[in-house]
Amino acid sequence: MSERDASRIPVLASVGQSIERSEIVTSTDLAARAAREAFDRAPRLADRVDLLTAIAVSFSPILTAPATAVAKQLGLRNTRCEVTTPGGHSPQWAVTRAAT
């Protein structure tokens, strides 16, 4: 087994959740709210986001670039944005790829 660089071990830096029961909001609004909560818990995290991945689901309204819309709401600059293909394995695939 090869030695691993301890400075490159993936860790979960923060989490956020958004629930809305009384207003009509878009899925990108909910995603941005959850990200803001995560950034509030880890204030220096927002400046270190290299890639924002949106998992392809039913977006409301249907957007061609939901990750870009979320990045814009969050004021993220120099962040690559992408959308996965739809599928049940897509969230785990995105996490595994990011950790790799």
Side-chain angles (χ1 to χ4, degrees), residues 28 31 51-57 59 65-68 70 81-85 90 93-94 97:
T28 54
L51 175 65
L52 192 148
T53 303
I55 306 303
V57 294
F59 292 99
T68 302
V70 172
C81 297
E82 68 179 6
V83 180
T84 68
T85 56
S90 294
W93 173 83
R97 186 184 63 158

PDB file of all heavy atoms in Angstrom, residues 28 31 51-57 59 65-68 70 81-85 90 93-94 97:
ATOM      1  N   THR A  28     -33.117  26.303  -6.856  1.00  0.00           N
ATOM      2  CA  THR A  28     -31.836  26.997  -6.735  1.00  0.00           C
ATOM      3  C   THR A  28     -31.825  27.904  -5.506  1.00  0.00           C
ATOM      4  O   THR A  28     -30.789  28.050  -4.865  1.00  0.00           O
ATOM      5  CB  THR A  28     -31.499  27.797  -8.009  1.00  0.00           C
ATOM      6  OG1 THR A  28     -32.570  28.665  -8.322  1.00  0.00           O
ATOM      7  CG2 THR A  28     -31.217  26.873  -9.178  1.00  0.00           C
ATOM      8  N   ALA A  31     -31.094  25.560  -2.648  1.00  0.00           N
ATOM      9  CA  ALA A  31     -29.685  25.157  -2.666  1.00  0.00           C
ATOM     10  C   ALA A  31     -28.793  26.290  -2.176  1.00  0.00           C
ATOM     11  O   ALA A  31     -27.862  26.068  -1.387  1.00  0.00           O
ATOM     12  CB  ALA A  31     -29.281  24.727  -4.074  1.00  0.00           C
ATOM     13  N   LEU A  51     -15.320  23.988  -7.331  1.00  0.00           N
ATOM     14  CA  LEU A  51     -16.287  23.355  -8.216  1.00  0.00           C
ATOM     15  C   LEU A  51     -17.634  23.254  -7.517  1.00  0.00           C
ATOM     16  O   LEU A  51     -17.705  22.809  -6.373  1.00  0.00           O
ATOM     17  CB  LEU A  51     -15.806  21.948  -8.596  1.00  0.00           C
ATOM     18  CG  LEU A  51     -16.749  21.092  -9.433  1.00  0.00           C
ATOM     19  CD1 LEU A  51     -16.961  21.700 -10.810  1.00  0.00           C
ATOM     20  CD2 LEU A  51     -16.197  19.676  -9.555  1.00  0.00           C
ATOM     21  N   LEU A  52     -18.682  23.672  -8.210  1.00  0.00           N
ATOM     22  CA  LEU A  52     -20.033  23.537  -7.694  1.00  0.00           C
ATOM     23  C   LEU A  52     -20.770  22.588  -8.637  1.00  0.00           C
ATOM     24  O   LEU A  52     -20.905  22.865  -9.824  1.00  0.00           O
ATOM     25  CB  LEU A  52     -20.729  24.901  -7.657  1.00  0.00           C
ATOM     26  CG  LEU A  52     -22.028  24.931  -6.866  1.00  0.00           C
ATOM     27  CD1 LEU A  52     -22.225  26.294  -6.233  1.00  0.00           C
ATOM     28  CD2 LEU A  52     -23.205  24.576  -7.714  1.00  0.00           C
ATOM     29  N   THR A  53     -21.208  21.462  -8.097  1.00  0.00           N
ATOM     30  CA  THR A  53     -21.891  20.439  -8.887  1.00  0.00           C
ATOM     31  C   THR A  53     -23.352  20.384  -8.490  1.00  0.00           C
ATOM     32  O   THR A  53     -23.670  20.236  -7.313  1.00  0.00           O
ATOM     33  CB  THR A  53     -21.252  19.055  -8.648  1.00  0.00           C
ATOM     34  OG1 THR A  53     -19.866  19.120  -8.977  1.00  0.00           O
ATOM     35  CG2 THR A  53     -21.927  17.986  -9.484  1.00  0.00           C
ATOM     36  N   ALA A  54     -24.234  20.498  -9.469  1.00  0.00           N
ATOM     37  CA  ALA A  54     -25.672  20.324  -9.240  1.00  0.00           C
ATOM     38  C   ALA A  54     -26.047  18.942  -9.759  1.00  0.00           C
ATOM     39  O   ALA A  54     -25.646  18.552 -10.847  1.00  0.00           O
ATOM     40  CB  ALA A  54     -26.468  21.396  -9.971  1.00  0.00           C
ATOM     41  N   ILE A  55     -26.789  18.203  -8.971  1.00  0.00           N
ATOM     42  CA  ILE A  55     -27.262  16.885  -9.382  1.00  0.00           C
ATOM     43  C   ILE A  55     -28.513  17.089 -10.239  1.00  0.00           C
ATOM     44  O   ILE A  55     -29.441  17.765  -9.819  1.00  0.00           O
ATOM     45  CB  ILE A  55     -27.589  16.010  -8.156  1.00  0.00           C
ATOM     46  CG1 ILE A  55     -26.388  15.935  -7.194  1.00  0.00           C
ATOM     47  CG2 ILE A  55     -28.043  14.622  -8.595  1.00  0.00           C
ATOM     48  CD1 ILE A  55     -25.106  15.412  -7.798  1.00  0.00           C
ATOM     49  N   ALA A  56     -28.528  16.515 -11.424  1.00  0.00           N
ATOM     50  CA  ALA A  56     -29.652  16.703 -12.349  1.00  0.00           C
ATOM     51  C   ALA A  56     -30.920  16.078 -11.778  1.00  0.00           C
ATOM     52  O   ALA A  56     -30.996  14.879 -11.562  1.00  0.00           O
ATOM     53  CB  ALA A  56     -29.329  16.094 -13.705  1.00  0.00           C
ATOM     54  N   VAL A  57     -31.871  16.936 -11.494  1.00  0.00           N
ATOM     55  CA  VAL A  57     -33.201  16.542 -11.012  1.00  0.00           C
ATOM     56  C   VAL A  57     -34.193  17.496 -11.665  1.00  0.00           C
ATOM     57  O   VAL A  57     -33.827  18.270 -12.532  1.00  0.00           O
ATOM     58  CB  VAL A  57     -33.311  16.624  -9.467  1.00  0.00           C
ATOM     59  CG1 VAL A  57     -32.416  15.616  -8.801  1.00  0.00           C
ATOM     60  CG2 VAL A  57     -33.009  18.021  -8.975  1.00  0.00           C
ATOM     61  N   PHE A  59     -35.653  20.730 -11.812  1.00  0.00           N
ATOM     62  CA  PHE A  59     -35.419  22.063 -11.276  1.00  0.00           C
ATOM     63  C   PHE A  59     -36.647  22.919 -11.545  1.00  0.00           C
ATOM     64  O   PHE A  59     -37.329  22.758 -12.537  1.00  0.00           O
ATOM     65  CB  PHE A  59     -34.179  22.697 -11.920  1.00  0.00           C
ATOM     66  CG  PHE A  59     -32.914  22.008 -11.528  1.00  0.00           C
ATOM     67  CD1 PHE A  59     -32.331  21.085 -12.374  1.00  0.00           C
ATOM     68  CD2 PHE A  59     -32.332  22.264 -10.308  1.00  0.00           C
ATOM     69  CE1 PHE A  59     -31.174  20.427 -12.010  1.00  0.00           C
ATOM     70  CE2 PHE A  59     -31.173  21.614  -9.934  1.00  0.00           C
ATOM     71  CZ  PHE A  59     -30.592  20.699 -10.782  1.00  0.00           C
ATOM     72  N   ALA A  65     -28.623  25.707 -16.555  1.00  0.00           N
ATOM     73  CA  ALA A  65     -27.375  25.805 -15.799  1.00  0.00           C
ATOM     74  C   ALA A  65     -27.661  26.093 -14.322  1.00  0.00           C
ATOM     75  O   ALA A  65     -27.343  27.171 -13.820  1.00  0.00           O
ATOM     76  CB  ALA A  65     -26.488  26.882 -16.406  1.00  0.00           C
ATOM     77  N   PRO A  66     -28.259  25.130 -13.589  1.00  0.00           N
ATOM     78  CA  PRO A  66     -28.618  25.404 -12.200  1.00  0.00           C
ATOM     79  C   PRO A  66     -27.405  25.658 -11.303  1.00  0.00           C
ATOM     80  O   PRO A  66     -27.497  26.473 -10.379  1.00  0.00           O
ATOM     81  CB  PRO A  66     -29.382  24.151 -11.767  1.00  0.00           C
ATOM     82  CG  PRO A  66     -28.984  23.095 -12.738  1.00  0.00           C
ATOM     83  CD  PRO A  66     -28.678  23.799 -14.013  1.00  0.00           C
ATOM     84  N   ALA A  67     -26.294  24.991 -11.535  1.00  0.00           N
ATOM     85  CA  ALA A  67     -25.106  25.229 -10.699  1.00  0.00           C
ATOM     86  C   ALA A  67     -24.614  26.667 -10.870  1.00  0.00           C
ATOM     87  O   ALA A  67     -24.232  27.323  -9.903  1.00  0.00           O
ATOM     88  CB  ALA A  67     -24.003  24.233 -11.048  1.00  0.00           C
ATOM     89  N   THR A  68     -24.646  27.159 -12.091  1.00  0.00           N
ATOM     90  CA  THR A  68     -24.242  28.541 -12.350  1.00  0.00           C
ATOM     91  C   THR A  68     -25.190  29.518 -11.661  1.00  0.00           C
ATOM     92  O   THR A  68     -24.753  30.530 -11.109  1.00  0.00           O
ATOM     93  CB  THR A  68     -24.196  28.806 -13.873  1.00  0.00           C
ATOM     94  OG1 THR A  68     -23.272  27.876 -14.461  1.00  0.00           O
ATOM     95  CG2 THR A  68     -23.765  30.217 -14.190  1.00  0.00           C
ATOM     96  N   VAL A  70     -26.893  28.989  -8.901  1.00  0.00           N
ATOM     97  CA  VAL A  70     -26.595  28.949  -7.464  1.00  0.00           C
ATOM     98  C   VAL A  70     -25.304  29.704  -7.172  1.00  0.00           C
ATOM     99  O   VAL A  70     -25.238  30.500  -6.231  1.00  0.00           O
ATOM    100  CB  VAL A  70     -26.524  27.493  -6.950  1.00  0.00           C
ATOM    101  CG1 VAL A  70     -26.019  27.450  -5.507  1.00  0.00           C
ATOM    102  CG2 VAL A  70     -27.884  26.826  -7.050  1.00  0.00           C
ATOM    103  N   CYS A  81     -18.619  25.339 -12.653  1.00  0.00           N
ATOM    104  CA  CYS A  81     -19.969  24.855 -12.380  1.00  0.00           C
ATOM    105  C   CYS A  81     -20.314  23.740 -13.355  1.00  0.00           C
ATOM    106  O   CYS A  81     -19.945  23.804 -14.530  1.00  0.00           O
ATOM    107  CB  CYS A  81     -20.977  25.992 -12.516  1.00  0.00           C
ATOM    108  SG  CYS A  81     -20.721  27.321 -11.328  1.00  0.00           S
ATOM    109  N   GLU A  82     -21.017  22.725 -12.852  1.00  0.00           N
ATOM    110  CA  GLU A  82     -21.411  21.607 -13.699  1.00  0.00           C
ATOM    111  C   GLU A  82     -22.720  21.022 -13.206  1.00  0.00           C
ATOM    112  O   GLU A  82     -23.125  21.251 -12.078  1.00  0.00           O
ATOM    113  CB  GLU A  82     -20.332  20.525 -13.705  1.00  0.00           C
ATOM    114  CG  GLU A  82     -20.179  19.826 -12.364  1.00  0.00           C
ATOM    115  CD  GLU A  82     -19.131  18.743 -12.348  1.00  0.00           C
ATOM    116  OE1 GLU A  82     -18.409  18.565 -13.344  1.00  0.00           O
ATOM    117  OE2 GLU A  82     -19.019  18.069 -11.312  1.00  0.00           O
ATOM    118  N   VAL A  83     -23.366  20.264 -14.094  1.00  0.00           N
ATOM    119  CA  VAL A  83     -24.578  19.534 -13.760  1.00  0.00           C
ATOM    120  C   VAL A  83     -24.343  18.082 -14.146  1.00  0.00           C
ATOM    121  O   VAL A  83     -23.849  17.802 -15.241  1.00  0.00           O
ATOM    122  CB  VAL A  83     -25.806  20.086 -14.517  1.00  0.00           C
ATOM    123  CG1 VAL A  83     -27.061  19.310 -14.155  1.00  0.00           C
ATOM    124  CG2 VAL A  83     -25.986  21.560 -14.215  1.00  0.00           C
ATOM    125  N   THR A  84     -24.694  17.161 -13.266  1.00  0.00           N
ATOM    126  CA  THR A  84     -24.523  15.737 -13.556  1.00  0.00           C
ATOM    127  C   THR A  84     -25.647  15.243 -14.461  1.00  0.00           C
ATOM    128  O   THR A  84     -26.620  15.954 -14.712  1.00  0.00           O
ATOM    129  CB  THR A  84     -24.568  14.893 -12.270  1.00  0.00           C
ATOM    130  OG1 THR A  84     -25.899  14.947 -11.737  1.00  0.00           O
ATOM    131  CG2 THR A  84     -23.553  15.359 -11.247  1.00  0.00           C
ATOM    132  N   THR A  85     -25.523  14.020 -14.889  1.00  0.00           N
ATOM    133  CA  THR A  85     -26.642  13.359 -15.542  1.00  0.00           C
ATOM    134  C   THR A  85     -27.597  12.914 -14.442  1.00  0.00           C
ATOM    135  O   THR A  85     -27.197  12.728 -13.296  1.00  0.00           O
ATOM    136  CB  THR A  85     -26.176  12.133 -16.347  1.00  0.00           C
ATOM    137  OG1 THR A  85     -25.476  11.250 -15.465  1.00  0.00           O
ATOM    138  CG2 THR A  85     -25.258  12.549 -17.489  1.00  0.00           C
ATOM    139  N   SER A  90     -25.881   9.459  -8.901  1.00  0.00           N
ATOM    140  CA  SER A  90     -25.185  10.718  -9.171  1.00  0.00           C
ATOM    141  C   SER A  90     -24.677  11.440  -7.921  1.00  0.00           C
ATOM    142  O   SER A  90     -23.540  11.920  -7.923  1.00  0.00           O
ATOM    143  CB  SER A  90     -26.068  11.655  -9.996  1.00  0.00           C
ATOM    144  OG  SER A  90     -26.285  11.111 -11.273  1.00  0.00           O
ATOM    145  N   TRP A  93     -21.618   9.532  -6.763  1.00  0.00           N
ATOM    146  CA  TRP A  93     -20.561   9.668  -7.765  1.00  0.00           C
ATOM    147  C   TRP A  93     -19.869  11.019  -7.607  1.00  0.00           C
ATOM    148  O   TRP A  93     -18.645  11.098  -7.652  1.00  0.00           O
ATOM    149  CB  TRP A  93     -21.159   9.531  -9.181  1.00  0.00           C
ATOM    150  CG  TRP A  93     -20.170   9.833 -10.257  1.00  0.00           C
ATOM    151  CD1 TRP A  93     -19.253   8.985 -10.768  1.00  0.00           C
ATOM    152  CD2 TRP A  93     -19.969  11.079 -10.904  1.00  0.00           C
ATOM    153  NE1 TRP A  93     -18.500   9.625 -11.727  1.00  0.00           N
ATOM    154  CE2 TRP A  93     -18.926  10.930 -11.823  1.00  0.00           C
ATOM    155  CE3 TRP A  93     -20.589  12.328 -10.798  1.00  0.00           C
ATOM    156  CZ2 TRP A  93     -18.476  11.961 -12.640  1.00  0.00           C
ATOM    157  CZ3 TRP A  93     -20.139  13.367 -11.606  1.00  0.00           C
ATOM    158  CH2 TRP A  93     -19.101  13.172 -12.513  1.00  0.00           C
ATOM    159  N   ALA A  94     -20.652  12.099  -7.415  1.00  0.00           N
ATOM    160  CA  ALA A  94     -20.075  13.431  -7.282  1.00  0.00           C
ATOM    161  C   ALA A  94     -19.202  13.534  -6.033  1.00  0.00           C
ATOM    162  O   ALA A  94     -18.111  14.108  -6.069  1.00  0.00           O
ATOM    163  CB  ALA A  94     -21.184  14.479  -7.262  1.00  0.00           C
ATOM    164  N   ARG A  97     -15.978  11.447  -6.595  1.00  0.00           N
ATOM    165  CA  ARG A  97     -15.068  12.131  -7.518  1.00  0.00           C
ATOM    166  C   ARG A  97     -14.398  13.310  -6.829  1.00  0.00           C
ATOM    167  O   ARG A  97     -13.199  13.518  -6.979  1.00  0.00           O
ATOM    168  CB  ARG A  97     -15.817  12.604  -8.748  1.00  0.00           C
ATOM    169  CG  ARG A  97     -14.853  13.191  -9.797  1.00  0.00           C
ATOM    170  CD  ARG A  97     -15.588  13.727 -10.948  1.00  0.00           C
ATOM    171  NE  ARG A  97     -16.421  14.829 -10.476  1.00  0.00           N
ATOM    172  CZ  ARG A  97     -16.888  15.790 -11.221  1.00  0.00           C
ATOM    173  NH1 ARG A  97     -16.646  15.775 -12.509  1.00  0.00           N
ATOM    174  NH2 ARG A  97     -17.621  16.735 -10.738  1.00  0.00           N
TER     175      ARG A  97
END
